[in-house]
């Protein structure tokens, strides 16, 4: 009992605070000095001293509690001043904590060094553009300010690999520690395994007895008289972003141990921020690159849409594609036969002799078979040893047409190794697809141009044939007509009635045949005379057509309502009106007839339907389609002379304009012939 009283007395008299904290942070004992520094109100440590949460002590104490690790650290308590705290894990859980107030004269030198070091680390991480340069300055500052023999910093490239990014102090060129696999024991030094283990466990490792520690078996530590080692994971929350290791020729004292957590935290934050900055810059660069690529692709698309000359098209494609691939040279290879020996090509950025065959035949053969080829190191690939020696990498992409047939290949070279990545390959593949479409369009244009030229030649020959045939057929008809007239003049008074009727029938048949030949010639030329294109005043044209026909006095023309301004060939529209008005007059002879020309709204691609309407005998519905055929009439030719071609000419002309023609009629209900024709959307309606 007396002995227990003596221990209590001793604890009360100690100049520094002592307290015992359970694993749930309940304070189970505190001497008076501890109560003075941390307070005595509350059950847990954090309740007794709430301001403890806002100091470096908080993270250190939680770290010591969770990892059962001894802690020595310093920080400032606002209500007390600068304090030094030591925490040791208890055998049955919890911590034994001692805390004392540190006066200025005992901490001045250590604080000055730490402040100087933290300032240099902050400056390096702020000013340097690249992470390796910043960490190299940080390592140099650690060596200079903490008296370390060697400082090394690894960064986590991914979750299972560390890369040595910076070192300062002793020159060590140990390649086995430049890249370390985390969580994988490899055939490397135990020292490297320890660094990887620090990253994997997220726990620091410190020793002041390097000579006897099995981790350090290398002769270099003995040669350099290394005594102490400290390795810390660089953590951001639960992520390890790197490892900092420091080798020293002096033991690590409490002051140095106290400064290391702050240094480690600063390095971790710097790596995280630099990584975020680098990621942002990469994203910005990627966006700029993509914007530039989109601009080039947009420009190329516009050029290809307007370009139908194959030679110019090939050059535009390879110029744009070489820019997109960031290549030193590019070639667009194409051939009708798709044989390497029959290749033609256009180039960008390289003399033509650099692509002499068979030097690139080995590369083009698989490409022209539909395969992409990417070579990151030309010198290391014996297959392509014959290619120009300055090339470091190559990319070849096939150009595949709509029908799946390879129509060419795009080839790119760079003096840099591994210059073409998967992204570039995908981009050039898209360009190749665009080029294939443009080549198909150019080919189709050439074929269409050739067909049009052939058709125009055929039409000219047909016109010539029709003219000659018409002339040659009409010549004997005119002879027969003249002969019949002479016979009538010579023996007219001696002919019987039957003979006279036969002679009249002969003359009628000759006239009908001559009109038929003229109608066929007019039909063959109906849609080819389109030279007089322009706006057409339909009301004026209808009136002129009426005068040309010279209608009988029993017929009248009415141009109803305002008419739109038509566009197209005035001659062809006049042919349409003349045939429709002429038909109305022809099939309604010797009677009062009213003919109306007008328009009504349409529900088709043209806004108006033109019509020619009469109040004559009408047409039975079963003949509404028949009348549009060639040589079709509803009256016997002996009764009414007609070639049966007029309405066929009307439909042919209208359909050539993209419109249609039809009839609405019934027996004794008159007939309305309708057709659609292009009109000027901005033109004014004209009045008859």
């Amino acid at each position: 009992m007396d002995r227990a009283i003596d221990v209590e007395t001793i604890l009360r008299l100690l100049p520094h605070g002592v307290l015992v904290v359970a694993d749930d942070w309940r304070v189970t004992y505190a001497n008076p000095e501890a109560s003075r520094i941390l307070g005595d109100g509350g059950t847990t440590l954090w309740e007794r001293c709430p301001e403890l949460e806002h100091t470096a002590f908080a993270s250190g104490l939680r770290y010591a509690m969770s990892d059962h690790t001894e802690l020595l650290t310093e920080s400032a308590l606002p209500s007390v001043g600068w304090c030094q705290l030591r925490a040791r894990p208890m055998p049955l859980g919890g911590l034994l904590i001692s805390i004392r107030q540190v006066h200025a004269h005992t901490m001045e030198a250590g604080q000055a060094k730490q402040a100087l070091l933290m300032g240099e680390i902050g400056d390096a991480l702020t000013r340097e553009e690249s992470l390796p340069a910043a960490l190299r300055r940080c390592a140099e500052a650690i060596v200079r300010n903490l008296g370390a023999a060697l400082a090394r910093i690894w960064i986590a490239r991914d979750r299972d690999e560390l890369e040595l990014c910076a070192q300062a102090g002793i020159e060590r060129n140990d390649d086995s520690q430049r890249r370390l696999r985390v969580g994988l024991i490899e055939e490397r030094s135990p020292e490297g395994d320890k660094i990887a283990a620090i990253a994997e466990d997220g726990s620091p490792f410190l020793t002041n007895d390097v000579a006897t520690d099995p981790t350090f078996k290398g002769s270099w530590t003995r040669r350099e008289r290394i005594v102490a080692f400290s390795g810390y994971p660089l953590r951001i929350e639960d992520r390890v972003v790197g490892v900092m290791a420091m080798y020293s020729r002096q033991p690590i004292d409490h002051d140095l141990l106290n400064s290391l957590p702050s240094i480690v935290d600063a390095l971790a934050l710097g790596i995280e921020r630099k990584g975020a900055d680098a990621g942002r810059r990469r994203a910005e660069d990627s966006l700029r690159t993509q914007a530039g690529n989109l601009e080039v692709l947009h420009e190329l698309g516009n050029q290809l849409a307007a370009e139908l000359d194959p030679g110019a098209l090939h050059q535009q494609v390879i110029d744009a594609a070489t820019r997109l691939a960031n290549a030193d040279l590019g070639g667009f290879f194409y051939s009708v036969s798709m044989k390497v020996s029959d290749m033609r090509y256009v180039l960008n950025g390289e003399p033509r002799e650099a692509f002499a065959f068979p030097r690139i035949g080995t590369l083009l053969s698989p490409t022209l078979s539909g395969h992409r080829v990417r070579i990151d190191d030309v010198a290391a690939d014996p297959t392509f040893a014959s290619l120009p020696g300055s090339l470091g990498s190559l990319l070849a992409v096939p150009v595949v047409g709509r029908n799946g047939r390879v129509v060419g290949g795009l080839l790119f070279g760079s003096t840099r190794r591994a210059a073409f990545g998967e992204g570039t390959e995908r981009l050039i593949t898209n360009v190749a697809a665009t080029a294939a479409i443009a080549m198909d369009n150019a080919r189709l244009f050439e074929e269409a141009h050739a067909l049009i030229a052939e058709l125009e030649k055929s039409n000219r020959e047909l016109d010539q044939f029709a003219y000659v045939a018409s002339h040659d057929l009409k010549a004997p008809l005119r002879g027969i007509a003249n002969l019949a007239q002479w016979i009538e003049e010579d023996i007219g008074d001696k002919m019987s009635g039957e003979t006279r009727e036969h002679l009249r029938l002969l003359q009628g048949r000759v006239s009908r045949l001559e009109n038929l030949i003229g109608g066929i010639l007019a039909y063959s030329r109906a849609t080819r005379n389109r030279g007089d294109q322009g706006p057409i005043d339909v009301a004026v044209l209808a009136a002129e057509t009426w005068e040309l026909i010279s209608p009988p006095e029993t017929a009248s023309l009415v141009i109803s309502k305002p008419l739109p301004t038509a566009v197209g060939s005035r001659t062809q529209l006049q042919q349409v009106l003349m045939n429709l008005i002429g038909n109305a007059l022809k099939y309604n002879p010797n009677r009062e007839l009213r003919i109306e020309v007008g328009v009504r709204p349409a529900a088709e691609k043209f806004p108006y339907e033109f019509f020619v309407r009469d109040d004559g005998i009408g047409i039975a519905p079963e003949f509404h389609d028949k009348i549009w055929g060639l040589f079709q009439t509803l009256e016997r030719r002996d009764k009414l002379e007609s070639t049966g071609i007029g309405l066929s000419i009307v439909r042919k002309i209208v359909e050539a304009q993209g419109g249609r023609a039809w009839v609405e009629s019934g027996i004794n209900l008159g007939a309305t012939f309708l057709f659609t024709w292009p009109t000027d959307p901005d033109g004014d309606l004209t009045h008859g």
Side-chain angles (χ1 to χ4, degrees):
M1 185 68 178
D2 293 340
R3 184 177 181 184
I5 294 173
D6 290 340
V7 171
E8 177 69 25
T9 302
I10 292 170
L11 289 173
R12 284 178 176 276
L13 295 174
L14 285 176
H16 54 270
V18 177
L19 66 161
V20 179
V21 178
D23 55 9
D24 59 357
W25 298 105
R26 285 182 301 106
V27 178
T28 59
Y29 174 81
N31 70 353
E33 182 65 10
S35 297
R36 182 187 73 81
I37 295 174
L38 299 175
D40 56 4
T43 303
T44 67
L45 176 63
W46 313 110
E47 291 172 350
R48 285 192 172 212
C49 187
E51 65 183 6
L52 202 63
E53 283 280 14
H54 307 293
T55 68
F57 292 141
S59 60
L61 287 169
R62 288 192 172 92
Y63 181 70
M65 179 74 82
S66 62
D67 287 14
H68 304 287
T69 302
E70 183 173 343
L71 170 72
L72 176 64
T73 185
E74 292 183 2
S75 186
L77 283 172
S79 61
V80 178
W82 199 265
C83 294
Q84 185 181 72
L85 182 146
R86 183 189 296 273
R88 289 182 177 178
M90 303 281 285
L92 298 179
L95 296 174
L96 173 64
I97 301 172
S98 65
I99 185 169
R100 67 186 179 91
Q101 191 171 359
V102 181
H103 298 287
H105 67 276
T106 63
M107 65 178 187
E108 187 174 317
Q111 285 186 18
K113 285 186 177 181
Q114 183 178 351
L116 182 61
L117 174 59
M118 294 300 290
E120 289 192 37
I121 289 175
D123 183 71
L125 293 172
T126 302
R127 290 180 179 273
E128 295 295 338
E129 287 291 332
S130 69
L131 181 60
L135 293 182
R136 186 165 53 251
R137 281 188 57 190
C138 291
E140 292 169 351
I142 291 171
V143 170
R144 185 167 52 253
N145 290 285
L146 300 184
L150 173 65
R152 310 184 95 182
I153 302 173
W154 288 262
I155 60 174
R157 285 301 183 190
D158 50 44
R159 300 187 68 176
D160 59 358
E161 185 177 67
L162 293 173
E163 179 183 350
L164 182 63
C165 191
Q167 65 178 4
I170 299 170
E171 287 290 337
R172 281 204 67 198
N173 296 316
D174 187 357
D175 291 336
S176 66
Q177 293 190 30
R178 291 196 175 277
R179 289 187 179 273
L180 302 174
R181 299 285 289 179
V182 178
L184 181 65
I185 302 299
E186 299 178 342
E187 294 183 0
R188 61 188 177 209
S189 67
E191 184 181 344
D193 290 338
K194 177 57 71 176
I195 298 297
I198 292 171
E200 183 179 10
D201 299 339
S203 302
F205 175 77
L206 302 98
T207 180
N208 278 332
D209 193 9
V210 168
T212 60
D213 194 306
T215 301
F216 305 95
K217 294 181 178 180
S219 60
W220 81 272
T221 54
R222 293 192 299 273
R223 183 177 66 250
E224 297 294 342
R225 302 188 302 280
I226 301 299
V227 172
F229 170 84
S230 62
Y232 277 81
L234 307 178
R235 302 176 64 168
I236 298 293
E237 297 178 350
D238 60 343
R239 291 186 300 109
V240 174
V241 297
V243 173
M244 188 276 289
M246 187 179 72
Y247 302 80
S248 177
R249 295 188 177 96
Q250 302 295 329
I252 299 174
D253 57 21
H254 293 307
D255 291 337
L256 179 55
L257 189 65
N258 179 55
S259 65
L260 288 177
S262 299
I263 296 169
V264 167
D265 287 344
L267 290 173
L269 288 171
I271 291 173
E272 178 77 358
R273 191 182 73 247
K274 283 291 184 184
D277 291 344
R280 187 187 69 252
R281 285 194 296 271
R282 285 194 298 271
E284 291 173 350
D285 291 342
S286 176
L287 287 174
R288 279 193 293 269
T289 300
Q290 290 181 27
N293 290 345
L294 287 174
E295 185 177 348
V296 173
L297 288 172
H298 178 70
E299 179 183 350
L300 177 61
N302 289 337
Q303 290 175 343
L304 296 185
E307 185 58 69
L308 294 171
D309 175 57
L313 184 150
H314 295 143
Q315 190 65 57
Q316 288 171 355
V317 168
I318 196 58
D319 290 347
T322 305
R323 287 171 57 193
L324 290 171
N326 195 25
D328 296 314
L329 60 95
F332 190 162
F333 296 81
Y334 59 96
S335 170
V336 175
S337 66
M338 285 297 103
K339 295 179 180 178
V340 174
S341 59
D342 192 30
M343 275 291 119
R344 287 173 283 180
Y345 52 91
V346 292
L347 305 175
N348 177 288
E350 187 71 11
R352 195 173 182 85
E353 56 270 17
F355 284 95
F357 293 101
R359 190 151 48 170
I360 63 164
T362 307
L363 179 63
L364 272 181
S365 293
T367 303
L368 298 181
S369 298
H371 301 288
R372 288 176 288 183
V373 179
R374 193 172 83 233
I375 304 169
D376 291 335
D377 189 353
V378 172
D381 194 324
T383 306
F384 303 100
S386 63
L387 291 173
S390 60
L391 292 180
S393 53
L394 286 167
L395 174 65
V397 175
V399 179
V400 183
R402 289 189 181 98
N403 57 1
R405 187 174 70 92
V406 177
V407 296
L410 299 175
L411 174 63
F412 305 92
S414 175
T415 56
R416 296 167 286 122
R417 296 177 183 174
F420 309 114
E422 291 183 2
T424 302
E425 186 175 333
R426 287 194 299 269
L427 181 62
I428 296 304
T429 300
N430 291 334
V431 173
T434 303
I437 294 172
M439 290 174 67
D440 281 345
N441 290 341
R443 177 180 55 80
L444 291 173
F445 175 77
E446 283 190 330
E447 292 176 357
H449 191 70
L451 288 173
I452 291 171
E454 187 66 25
L455 181 61
E456 289 176 346
K457 179 182 177 183
S458 177
N459 284 338
R460 287 193 299 271
E461 292 174 350
L462 182 61
D463 282 345
Q464 182 66 21
F465 170 78
Y467 176 77
V468 171
S470 173
H471 180 273
D472 290 350
L473 287 173
K474 284 183 176 181
L477 288 177
R478 284 193 293 271
I480 295 172
N482 291 337
L483 183 59
Q485 183 178 356
W486 295 339
I487 292 173
E488 184 178 14
E489 291 175 354
D490 290 345
I491 61 172
D493 54 346
K494 300 177 182 178
M495 286 190 296
S496 66
E498 183 180 3
T499 302
R500 192 178 299 279
E501 177 63 19
H502 289 166
L503 189 61
R504 186 189 66 76
L505 290 175
L506 174 65
Q507 291 173 326
R509 297 294 187 276
V510 168
S511 176
R512 182 188 306 167
L513 186 56
E514 189 171 4
N515 290 337
L516 188 62
I517 292 171
I520 293 173
L521 183 61
Y523 181 81
S524 68
R525 294 175 173 176
T527 59
R528 293 204 292 276
N529 182 19
R530 303 180 64 181
D532 54 341
Q533 299 289 312
I536 307 167
D537 188 327
V538 181
V540 171
L541 183 63
E544 291 178 358
T545 304
W546 181 256
E547 291 177 2
L548 285 174
I549 291 175
S550 298
E553 294 181 358
T554 56
S556 63
L557 176 69
V558 176
I559 301 175
S560 65
K561 298 184 179 180
L563 296 177
T565 300
V567 292
S569 169
R570 195 173 192 278
T571 300
Q572 290 184 348
L573 183 55
Q574 188 173 48
Q575 277 186 282
V576 170
L577 293 175
M578 185 173 291
N579 276 294
L580 295 179
I581 295 173
N583 261 22
L585 295 171
K586 183 186 299 181
Y587 286 94
N588 294 280
N590 305 317
R591 58 175 294 171
E592 296 289 332
L593 185 67
R594 181 180 184 273
I595 299 175
E596 179 185 1
V597 176
V599 293
R600 69 186 189 188
E604 304 180 13
K605 65 178 180 179
F606 297 125
Y608 298 104
E609 295 172 351
F610 292 89
F611 64 80
V612 175
R613 179 184 296 138
D614 66 66
D615 57 357
I617 60 175
I619 303 170
E622 59 266 28
F623 299 116
H624 285 185
D625 290 330
K626 179 182 178 182
I627 59 175
W628 299 98
L630 273 171
F631 313 125
Q632 298 297 321
T633 64
L634 299 183
E635 295 283 356
R636 295 196 328 271
R637 288 185 171 87
D638 289 339
K639 181 178 179 182
L640 181 66
E641 194 64 49
S642 174
T643 62
I645 293 176
L647 290 181
S648 298
I649 292 175
V650 168
R651 176 165 280 184
K652 186 176 182 181
I653 291 174
V654 169
E655 289 180 349
Q657 297 290 335
R660 69 187 187 97
W662 70 102
V663 65
E664 296 175 356
S665 182
I667 296 296
N668 297 320
L669 297 176
T672 302
F673 286 86
L674 300 106
F675 63 94
T676 55
W677 190 277
T679 56
D680 184 358
D682 300 323
D684 296 330
L685 293 175
T686 57
H687 297 262

